[in-house]
Amino acid sequence: MKIVVLKFGGTSVGSIKKIKKVAEIIVGYKRKNYKVVVVSSAMSGVTNELIKKSSEISNNFPITEYDVLVSTGEQIACSLIAGRLIHKGYMSRSWLAWQIPILTVGAHKNSRINQINKIKIIKYLRKGGIPIITGFQGVNNDNRITTIGRGGSDASAIMLAKFFRAERCIIYTDVEGVYTTDPNKLKKAKKIKVISYEEMLEMASLGAKVMQPVSIQDARLNRIDIEVKSSFKNKSGTLITKRSNIINNKIVTGISSTQNDSKVSLIGVKDKPGVAAAIFKPLSKNLVNVDMVVQNISANGKETDLTFTIKTDDLNKTKKIIQENKTINYRKLVFEKGVSKISVIGVGMITTPGVTFRMFQTLANKQINIKVISTSEIKISVLIDKINTQRALIALHKEFKLDHKK
Ligand code: ASP
Ligand code: MG
């Protein structure tokens, strides 16, 4: 069976007119003789409305009922899509997760799909039907409705593609694909034709807007090709796939930048085992997300400096945690707001030397000072003053030949 999974996001089903358009897209695949499995999110705004209602009922709304409530948005969208397909003369019906069932494990609000029963859907596909399946929801061992985290319909689609061994999983959304950098920040950003899972994960700050990052990890583990494309424009999108499928590797695939980061330095901490752990333990306990971490080599073997970055939103919390941490000693604590991390990402840099140098030289030519550097196999990140972000982005995008040619 040639199965394709089509997932429609909230904006794609955001109005009656758009749902009619979605039905057209589905019919297009049906005509090409695909067995089509559709997954839909709730109409845009609906999930947020439902969450708001729950918090107006109680500031301690039970998570079991939260899942029952917020999963209803998907039910509405799916019945409307199925209704439209039936109107057009096709065999279709909606399926709620419990009717299949799509089984989940883990806590309410944040469950994980671990099993999908295929029997009913396969039978239905064989008869020529088009199943329209609710994303974002599942049912657990206690027969309770669950949800799998905000933006979870992406993960639903990936798991359906996995269990049904779909040829392809297509994520329909309101952007045309994944770009070399945020097109809202840089006009010259170009749509990427093919990108590896690893690069896509590294570009999380760009990717997150296009797809839920955990679902990209699911796709990577299960080797499922994903195509991200616009439901409004009939253009090819971005293919997310395994590295070995990418023949024409660019050295750099994309550049991402962060906003509202802060830098924290502990000057003169003891250079002995356990110190870093003592600093980071209370931070992780309080859910402060630490990003870049750099420890200087100790010059005298006794003392060293430790620097890390966090979101500026967490700055006050972090200050308090460090100042109240009685298990660490340091000479001075320095905070700096208004920094930004720029990362160049690409699997091509594994085999191409000199990317680091080119990045640093480009920034030097623009008189942009680098505060912190960190690298991974496929990424080089630098921390700079936030006011230089745009200039750095423009220069690096050009240096690595990513600019859109108009
Ligand atoms: N409707 C859910 C949400 O808004 C799931 C999704 O959009 O993927 O989070
Ligand atoms: Mg969504």
Side-chain angles (χ1 to χ4, degrees):
M1 251 201 269
K2 202 167 83 166
I3 297 178
V4 64
V5 171
L6 307 180
K7 182 256 166 174
F8 296 95
T11 45
S12 301
V13 293
S15 67
I16 296 301
K17 197 172 150 210
K18 287 176 180 171
I19 289 178
K20 289 178 179 172
K21 175 83 210 305
V22 160
E24 294 292 334
I25 295 174
I26 297 168
V27 166
Y29 284 92
K30 186 79 188 145
R31 289 216 182 100
K32 280 187 222 154
N33 279 324
Y34 274 106
K35 302 280 182 206
V36 190
V37 173
V38 176
V39 186
S40 186
S41 173
M43 295 170 80
S44 55
V46 170
T47 312
N48 286 343
E49 275 300 315
L50 293 165
I51 293 173
K52 197 165 148 242
K53 285 199 174 85
S54 74
S55 62
E56 283 165 9
I57 287 288
S58 162
N59 55 15
N60 203 7
F61 198 79
I63 49 175
T64 44
E65 294 308 326
Y66 170 99
D67 280 352
V68 175
L69 178 70
V70 303
S71 60
T72 56
E74 274 67 19
Q75 177 167 346
I76 298 171
C78 287
S79 63
L80 290 172
I81 298 171
R84 184 64 187 174
L85 287 167
I86 295 165
H87 168 89
K88 289 168 77 74
Y90 290 86
M91 178 180 171
S92 184
R93 66 158 278 195
S94 60
W95 297 81
L96 305 184
W98 65 267
Q99 296 174 309
I100 297 178
I102 296 176
L103 297 172
T104 64
V105 288
H108 279 278
K109 262 180 142 167
N110 232 331
S111 294
R112 199 164 41 77
I113 296 172
N114 73 331
Q115 185 66 42
I116 297 175
N117 192 326
K118 298 193 293 188
I119 302 172
K120 295 176 200 163
I121 299 292
I122 292 282
K123 237 190 193 163
Y124 190 68
L125 287 171
R126 285 221 171 94
K127 280 194 291 187
I130 308 171
I132 317 294
I133 300 172
T134 50
F136 182 49
Q137 54 170 267
V139 58
N140 68 15
N141 249 339
D142 297 329
N143 222 11
R144 304 290 299 252
I145 304 286
T146 55
T147 61
I148 60 173
R150 294 305 307 272
S153 319
D154 285 335
S156 302
I158 301 293
M159 293 315 262
L160 282 159
K162 172 192 166 177
F163 280 96
F164 286 97
R165 293 177 187 282
E167 204 166 86
R168 269 206 280 172
C169 180
I170 304 179
I171 305 285
Y172 278 97
T173 179
D174 53 355
V175 292
E176 282 181 36
V178 184
Y179 283 77
T180 49
T181 195
D182 187 344
N184 297 315
K185 287 188 193 150
L186 195 74
K187 275 219 174 67
K188 287 186 171 160
K190 201 162 49 175
K191 192 171 36 175
I192 299 170
K193 286 200 181 96
V194 205
I195 186 170
S196 66
Y197 303 113
E198 291 80 5
E199 290 166 319
M200 184 73 187
L201 282 165
E202 289 285 12
M203 304 235 295
S205 67
L206 306 170
K209 287 176 209 147
V210 181
M211 255 188 96
Q212 185 202 33
V214 291
S215 61
I216 297 163
Q217 181 65 359
D218 282 343
R220 185 176 84 90
L221 293 172
N222 296 297
R223 295 290 179 229
I224 293 159
D225 285 352
I226 311 168
E227 195 184 336
V228 178
K229 63 197 290 186
S230 161
S231 46
F232 312 125
K233 288 187 190 145
N234 192 8
K235 282 189 181 169
S236 62
T238 301
L239 177 70
I240 308 168
T241 186
K242 58 176 182 247
R243 282 189 209 180
S244 54
N245 283 347
I246 305 174
I247 331 155
N248 234 331
N249 256 329
K250 293 237 178 51
I251 301 169
V252 170
T253 306
I255 304 178
S256 72
S257 63
T258 61
Q259 266 170 341
N260 306 322
D261 285 359
S262 287
K263 177 162 93 59
V264 182
S265 296
L266 289 92
I267 313 290
V269 292
K270 288 264 164 316
D271 188 20
K272 61 168 198 210
V275 170
I279 294 169
F280 291 118
K281 188 175 167 195
L283 291 173
S284 91
K285 248 192 175 163
N286 287 284
L287 303 177
V288 173
N289 222 329
V290 174
D291 187 13
M292 300 171 101
V293 182
V294 176
Q295 182 184 302
N296 299 2
I297 290 180
S298 142
N300 55 11
K302 288 180 194 143
E303 275 189 350
T304 170
D305 305 334
L306 198 121
T307 297
F308 58 90
T309 63
I310 50 168
K311 291 278 149 225
T312 300
D313 284 347
D314 286 334
L315 186 59
N316 288 335
K317 191 162 137 188
T318 303
K319 267 187 197 170
K320 205 166 158 256
I321 293 169
I322 296 182
Q323 281 160 352
E324 286 171 2
N325 189 343
K326 295 279 171 284
T327 63
I328 51 171
N329 291 303
Y330 49 84
R331 268 191 290 116
K332 209 168 122 197
L333 192 57
V334 186
F335 297 99
E336 193 180 339
K337 273 197 220 175
V339 292
S340 161
K341 182 180 77 167
I342 306 257
S343 309
V344 303
I345 296 144
V347 293
M349 65 177 74
I350 299 173
T351 46
T352 314
V355 180
T356 317
F357 161 73
R358 274 170 75 186
M359 180 175 192
F360 296 167
Q361 188 63 60
T362 305
L363 295 172
N365 292 345
K366 296 281 168 200
Q367 303 292 323
I368 296 171
N369 186 39
I370 300 171
K371 296 164 179 288
V372 178
I373 301 167
S374 80
T375 61
S376 78
E377 197 185 23
I378 63 166
K379 179 170 86 167
I380 308 163
S381 303
V382 295
L383 196 70
I384 59 175
D385 279 325
K386 193 180 157 188
I387 43 163
N388 291 328
T389 313
Q390 189 65 13
R391 280 172 56 232
L393 206 57
I394 293 170
L396 291 167
H397 203 266
K398 186 165 176 227
E399 169 66 23
F400 291 107
K401 306 200 165 30
L402 299 173
D403 282 359
H404 188 106
K405 286 178 206 70
K406 288 243 161 75

